Amino acid sequence: MRTHLPLNALRAFEASARHLSFTKAGLELHVTQAAISHQVKSLEENLGIALFRRLPRGRP
């Protein structure tokens, strides 16, 4: 049973979901796009599910 989820990862996910962009989430949270991506990936691994469908750049 999980007791805690990483707060920074949750913030990264929330901002990414709201903006539909890791880049814009990074700008809002003052971190790089790569940092957001890593945080979301760690949250996905922690939960055991994919939270985003990753597409090549420029595709909806």
Side-chain angles (χ1 to χ4, degrees):
M1 179 178 158
R2 285 184 297 276
T3 57
H4 299 287
L5 294 173
L7 185 56
N8 284 339
L10 289 171
R11 286 182 181 140
F13 168 69
E14 186 278 330
S16 299
R18 193 164 21 87
H19 290 292
L20 299 176
S21 167
F22 288 173
T23 301
K24 290 178 183 176
L27 290 171
E28 176 182 324
L29 298 174
H30 305 285
V31 298
T32 65
Q33 173 273 332
I36 295 292
S37 178
H38 282 81
Q39 289 291 332
V40 171
K41 184 71 172 168
S42 74
L43 185 60
E44 289 175 325
E45 289 171 358
N46 194 305
L47 294 171
I49 60 170
L51 298 171
F52 284 98
R53 182 175 49 157
R54 288 163 175 80
L55 300 172
R57 196 179 290 190
R59 294 197 49 201

